Amino acid sequence: QFLEHTLLLNDVLLGLVIALRAVPGAPLAELPFRWLCENDDVLEFQALQRNTSILAKAILKPDAILEIPGHRRRLFLEAETGAHSIATANPQAHGAVLQKLQRYTQYFTALAGDGPATWYTLAFTDGFFPVLVFLVHSVARRKRVERAVTEALGEQRDGRFRVRVLTFEDAVPMLA
């Protein structure tokens, strides 16, 4: 599963390089994006725990971050191979996709202390707009994830971030 996950992300990166490189020999530094791959770095923040209403340390570890300076966008890519559930029947628990959505929502919108900065704006001071992108393996899965995201966010869509769901097949043409 790890190898499949890595290869799917690498295919997206390679597809973007091929689609956006001016000429085959052009330096990679001239690409209109920056790709930050998964490493040991994590995004730390404090999140309100649902069951206890206590602030606790939380982390995010995006599969990749795609920065697009020309559009002032930062995309947090989460590759979902279908190995984990979107949601669970247990009302006390979320599936993997909804847990990630909840953590990212807190990271993008919760205030980091007493000031006006969110955890996201504190970590990334360039003003790029954040977009959470779930990459999934099929159109059917894309529709299920989109429905779950819409149900989870409901009226919380306040314009501070966006969520997109793309299939791996559609990722390169849509992102390029």
Side-chain angles (χ1 to χ4, degrees):
Q1 288 178 348
F2 173 77
L3 183 57
E4 177 187 17
H5 184 266
T6 301
L7 290 173
L8 287 168
L9 276 170
N10 286 342
D11 283 346
V12 172
L13 171 58
L14 180 60
L16 287 172
V17 169
I18 291 169
L20 297 173
R21 208 170 194 187
V23 294
L28 294 176
E30 293 178 5
L31 287 166
F33 68 88
R34 290 187 298 263
W35 180 279
L36 308 171
C37 62
E38 181 179 36
N39 57 24
D40 291 332
D41 294 339
V42 295
L43 305 173
E44 294 184 17
F45 63 107
Q46 289 186 342
L48 193 62
Q49 302 301 305
R50 284 182 355 141
N51 298 337
T52 63
S53 296
I54 296 174
L55 281 177
K57 182 180 174 182
I59 61 168
L60 287 169
K61 190 171 169 83
D63 293 328
I65 297 175
L66 179 62
E67 295 178 338
I68 310 169
H71 292 283
R72 300 187 49 77
R73 297 278 189 267
R74 181 171 289 108
L75 285 63
F76 294 82
L77 305 180
E78 290 291 344
E80 300 295 328
T81 60
H84 302 287
S85 65
I86 297 169
T88 66
N90 179 353
Q92 299 299 318
H94 292 303
V97 171
L98 289 181
Q99 283 181 347
K100 286 179 185 177
L101 177 63
Q102 181 183 35
R103 286 197 318 275
Y104 275 103
T105 299
Q106 291 176 333
Y107 184 71
F108 294 145
T109 64
L111 297 179
D114 296 330
T118 65
W119 293 100
Y120 171 74
T121 59
L122 194 62
F124 298 97
T125 59
D126 53 19
F128 286 16
F129 185 80
V131 181
L132 171 58
V133 180
F134 287 107
L135 300 172
V136 299
H137 61 83
S138 69
V139 172
R141 177 85 171 181
R142 186 195 80 220
K143 290 178 181 178
R144 287 192 302 272
V145 172
E146 287 174 334
R147 187 171 38 253
V149 166
T150 299
E151 289 173 5
L153 292 180
E155 296 302 316
Q156 294 179 16
R157 290 192 174 201
D158 60 6
R160 290 188 278 179
F161 70 99
R162 184 170 297 132
V163 179
R164 301 275 316 263
V165 185
L166 304 171
T167 63
F168 284 100
E169 183 178 336
D170 292 337
V172 170
M174 296 296 286
L175 297 173

